[in-house]
Amino acid sequence: MSNIVERIFPDHLPTPEELAQRFPKRDLPEGAMVTRVGPSPTGFMHIGTLYVGRLCAQFARQTGGVSILRIEDTDKKREVEGAVDFITHAFDHFGVSFDEGVGVDGADMGAYGPYRQSQRKEIYQAYVKHLLATGKAYPCFATGEELEAMRDKQQLRKMRTGYYGVWAEWRDRPEEDVQAALDAGIPFVIRFRSEGKIERKLKFEDLLFGERKLPENDQDIVIMKADGLPTYHFAHVVDDHLMGTTHVIRGDEWLSSVPTHLQLFEALEWETPKFAHIAPINKMDGTSRRKLSKRKDPEASVGYFEELGYSNEAVLDYLMTLADAGFEDWSNENPGTSSWEFPLTMRGLKGSSGPLFDFEKLGNISRNFVATLKSPAVYDRVLPWAEKHDADLADMLKADPDRARAIIAIERDEAQNVRKDIEKWSDVKAELEFFFDDRFTLSADEARGMIDYLDANELATLVSEFLEGYDPADDNATWFGKIKELGGAHGFAMRPKDFKKNPDDYKGTVAHVARVFRILLAGKERTPDLYSIMQVMGPDQVKARVSLVL
């Protein structure tokens, strides 16, 4: 067999002993967690990847450990150009940083790289060679057509499909057959020689699912493909060992693969990390519950939230509510404290069983966060977002930055009850647009139609008298006093309780009077503080707008 091993790997490869020296055991404090997230660049980044990355980074941070961003790019056929950059920029955008791995500039950070699996080919091959030399792996020359015919036979006989037992035709083939296949230049893969028995149960402890019993793996899985790159199963085992991963936190779709992974760790005589398989993020589809789908759900992509303009803090805080039911109470008890300070635990994560994505809850969290920002901070966040996603909004913001900040400051900077109407940066456009005359399209007929509790003459008289008493130098109290008096003179109740007591005696309340000017100034019935709007607009614009119905 030694001759076959040398024929398969004729070039020099490092020995396992040399690799052990190259990747020494980490010197970390007791209890420190080394975690990793390993996205594949095969398309957009799933929100679940951001979720797992967030958890991995936080566990490592709060235990004095190390978090790693590893790019698992061995499936070159499915790799999408630019996907690695998207992944690194997505984590960076949402404020999830790692201690080691592929950085936002594409360069490696850390001493345990390379952190792209495609650049670790000789490392994997060194261990494949070791397994071949110790009889724990073998070359398989079965063609695609032969494997398909094998599956057809298995299905016809109602047997489990796969390469195992008597179906593993190259497992014990004579050495001369292997030599002949190599001589003929037949493509081959390397398979792991499994000693598992499907009828036996393997018991292991999952940090979230508890004790699990699963059938042993009896499949002779491929560990090295024909192109010389490893499969996911083999590569991640090698990487987790060499990088010193202590905790593998990943989606529960990998739970059934644990017997295979434990088998590989055992064959290589390595200590196994602890496993924590988390439930996937779900959504309601009618009356049924299902996993977020890359194909069906735009919110499955992290890019969706960035494009709409959700703040990274809001998205991360929302993900923490999915991870631990106790986060929301902690956040309320610790206002203004970063969610990175939350004491995340496996016990808390264990209680999160199939978290349900809730846009309403995300919206509430986002509005509450944006409400904590002063107008300069909102402006500074909205502008770069708009320059990337809404050029029209960016033009408005840049046309007169001071005025834009003043608009954003309404019911924000000095208000006791801060407005909570901005959920995402894309909402800001509607708050700015009506201040610009070239974008304000309300016609006199439309205004009169919206103010249907006054006829045209009553409306014109009310507006004329408002203009007679209008003084932009009035403070808020004086201005509101004039509005009340104006309403009282035109048949509106000056006190809500009077209207409530005798509604037929009045045309409405002072709120209905204010609504007249909200509509004339902003084109809508609901606006932020009306006095503040008029102060930002200035007397010329106010007079021109309200004169529309004269």
Side-chain angles (χ1 to χ4, degrees):
M1 180 58 114
S2 60
N3 184 42
I4 291 175
V5 174
E6 293 306 320
R7 287 193 66 181
I8 292 174
F9 295 112
D11 298 328
H12 173 75
L13 290 171
T15 66
E17 293 75 22
E18 290 170 339
L19 289 170
Q21 291 182 341
R22 178 175 163 187
F23 300 100
K25 188 173 182 179
R26 296 179 184 272
D27 183 17
L28 295 171
E30 185 176 353
M33 295 172 65
V34 179
T35 61
R36 51 59 164 187
V37 61
S40 297
T42 54
F44 68 72
M45 187 168 119
H46 196 282
I47 188 68
T49 302
L50 179 64
Y51 179 53
V52 173
R54 171 73 164 89
L55 300 178
C56 288
Q58 180 136 348
F59 274 123
R61 182 181 297 193
Q62 70 187 27
T63 60
V66 178
S67 59
I68 302 166
L69 173 58
R70 189 169 73 210
I71 301 299
E72 300 187 345
D73 59 346
T74 59
D75 190 347
K76 290 300 180 181
K77 291 181 180 178
R78 296 177 59 222
E79 185 170 341
V80 174
E81 185 178 355
V84 174
D85 286 341
F86 182 86
I87 290 167
T88 57
H89 281 83
F91 277 121
D92 180 66
H93 171 77
F94 286 102
V96 178
S97 59
F98 299 92
D99 303 301
E100 295 181 11
V102 180
V104 71
D105 60 354
D108 280 353
M109 310 175 294
Y112 289 77
Y115 295 95
R116 299 180 194 229
Q117 289 185 335
S118 61
Q119 297 175 2
R120 298 170 65 86
K121 187 174 181 179
E122 74 160 15
I123 296 173
Y124 305 127
Q125 290 186 349
Y127 288 108
V128 172
K129 181 178 181 180
H130 171 70
L131 290 178
L132 278 172
T134 55
K136 296 177 181 178
Y138 61 92
C140 173
F141 297 86
T143 65
E145 292 77 11
E146 289 170 340
L147 293 173
E148 187 174 350
M150 178 192 73
R151 282 191 293 271
D152 289 342
K153 289 179 182 178
Q154 290 169 334
Q155 290 172 346
L156 189 65
R157 300 179 189 181
K158 301 188 183 307
M159 300 179 68
R160 284 186 303 115
T161 58
Y163 204 83
Y164 64 94
V166 297
W167 300 98
E169 294 188 359
W170 282 93
R171 178 183 173 106
D172 295 312
R173 289 288 279 268
E175 188 169 329
E176 52 266 29
D177 288 359
V178 176
Q179 294 281 16
L182 289 172
D183 290 340
I186 300 174
F188 62 91
V189 299
I190 304 298
R191 290 183 180 273
F192 176 68
R193 187 185 298 274
S194 173
E195 300 298 336
K197 302 292 183 183
I198 193 69
E199 60 272 13
R200 294 199 302 242
K201 296 290 184 181
L202 175 72
K203 184 168 69 174
F204 66 95
E205 187 76 18
D206 186 272
L207 293 176
L208 301 182
F209 280 85
E211 184 181 284
R212 304 289 291 182
K213 291 181 180 179
L214 293 174
E216 288 184 353
N217 170 62
D218 67 345
Q219 300 274 349
D220 285 3
I221 64 165
V222 175
I223 58 175
M224 191 185 83
K225 298 175 288 187
D227 61 5
L229 285 171
T231 57
Y232 165 79
H233 294 295
F234 189 70
H236 102 271
V237 166
V238 172
D239 291 342
D240 283 340
H241 170 70
L242 294 180
M243 294 180 185
T245 303
T246 63
H247 292 72
V248 173
I249 303 169
R250 61 188 181 187
D252 66 2
E253 68 270 20
W254 293 106
L255 193 61
S256 61
S257 299
V258 171
T260 300
H261 300 159
L262 291 178
Q263 203 173 44
L264 290 170
F265 275 106
E266 182 179 4
L268 291 162
E269 299 180 353
W270 292 338
E271 182 180 353
T272 59
K274 295 177 180 178
F275 292 96
H277 290 87
I278 62 175
I281 300 174
N282 293 308
K283 73 172 291 183
M284 293 303 297
D285 190 352
T287 58
S288 61
R289 187 182 185 116
R290 63 169 174 78
K291 288 171 57 176
L292 278 179
S293 165
K294 277 189 172 185
R295 291 181 293 104
K296 298 179 181 178
D297 307 313
E299 67 269 30
S301 169
V302 296
Y304 176 78
F305 301 94
E306 198 270 335
E307 288 169 14
L308 288 178
Y310 282 98
S311 68
N312 55 35
E313 292 91 345
V315 173
L316 291 187
D317 283 5
Y318 176 66
L319 291 179
M320 288 304 294
T321 68
L322 299 183
D324 191 318
F327 173 77
E328 205 163 355
D329 288 340
W330 176 89
S331 183
N332 292 332
E333 293 166 4
N334 298 272
T337 304
S338 168
S339 61
W340 290 99
E341 301 300 318
F342 175 68
L344 185 65
T345 64
M346 287 293 174
R347 177 179 293 181
L349 194 58
K350 190 174 184 178
S352 178
S353 177
L356 191 65
F357 199 94
D358 183 346
F359 265 107
E360 184 176 346
K361 191 169 186 177
L362 170 61
N364 288 335
I365 290 172
S366 187
R367 284 189 293 271
N368 286 330
F369 170 74
V370 175
T372 68
L373 303 176
K374 299 297 185 184
S375 56
V378 174
Y379 180 91
D380 289 345
R381 284 169 176 254
V382 175
L383 180 57
W385 176 87
E387 288 176 327
K388 184 176 180 181
H389 297 286
D390 189 338
D392 189 43
L393 173 57
D395 289 342
M396 278 193 280
L397 291 166
K398 291 186 288 189
D400 188 340
D402 289 339
R403 190 167 191 248
R405 293 188 189 95
I407 296 168
I408 296 169
I410 295 173
E411 283 190 59
R412 180 175 304 281
D413 288 2
E414 305 298 332
Q416 289 184 334
N417 296 313
V418 178
R419 58 195 280 203
K420 295 183 179 180
D421 52 351
I422 297 177
E423 178 178 324
K424 48 196 182 298
W425 306 137
S426 52
D427 296 337
V428 172
K429 191 172 187 176
E431 304 303 319
L432 291 180
E433 210 161 20
F434 68 83
F435 282 87
F436 292 80
D437 288 336
D438 60 341
R439 299 166 185 272
F440 188 72
T441 59
L442 183 71
S443 70
D445 286 341
E446 288 171 334
R448 293 185 185 105
M450 294 173 71
I451 308 168
D452 57 3
Y453 45 90
L454 293 175
D455 63 32
N457 289 330
E458 290 173 329
L459 177 59
T461 303
L462 179 76
V463 169
S464 295
E465 292 186 17
F466 166 80
L467 288 172
E468 290 174 8
Y470 171 58
D471 184 348
D474 287 341
D475 61 22
N476 198 336
T478 303
W479 170 84
F480 186 64
K482 289 182 177 180
I483 292 291
K484 287 179 67 176
E485 291 177 7
L486 180 67
H490 285 266
F492 291 88
M494 297 177 70
R495 298 183 304 176
K497 65 180 182 180
D498 293 337
F499 179 77
K500 187 174 182 180
K501 186 176 181 180
N502 299 297
D504 295 336
D505 295 344
Y506 303 98
K507 295 176 182 177
T509 67
V510 175
H512 290 86
V513 180
R515 187 187 302 170
V516 169
F517 298 100
R518 293 185 195 280
I519 290 169
L520 293 176
L521 293 171
K524 46 191 176 183
E525 297 181 359
R526 297 173 64 88
T527 70
D529 180 64
L530 184 57
Y531 173 79
S532 299
I533 288 175
M534 296 173 75
Q535 291 300 108
V536 172
M537 282 188 168
D540 292 342
Q541 191 174 30
V542 168
K543 291 175 182 178
R545 290 277 178 98
V546 301
S547 297
L548 179 68
V549 292
L550 296 182

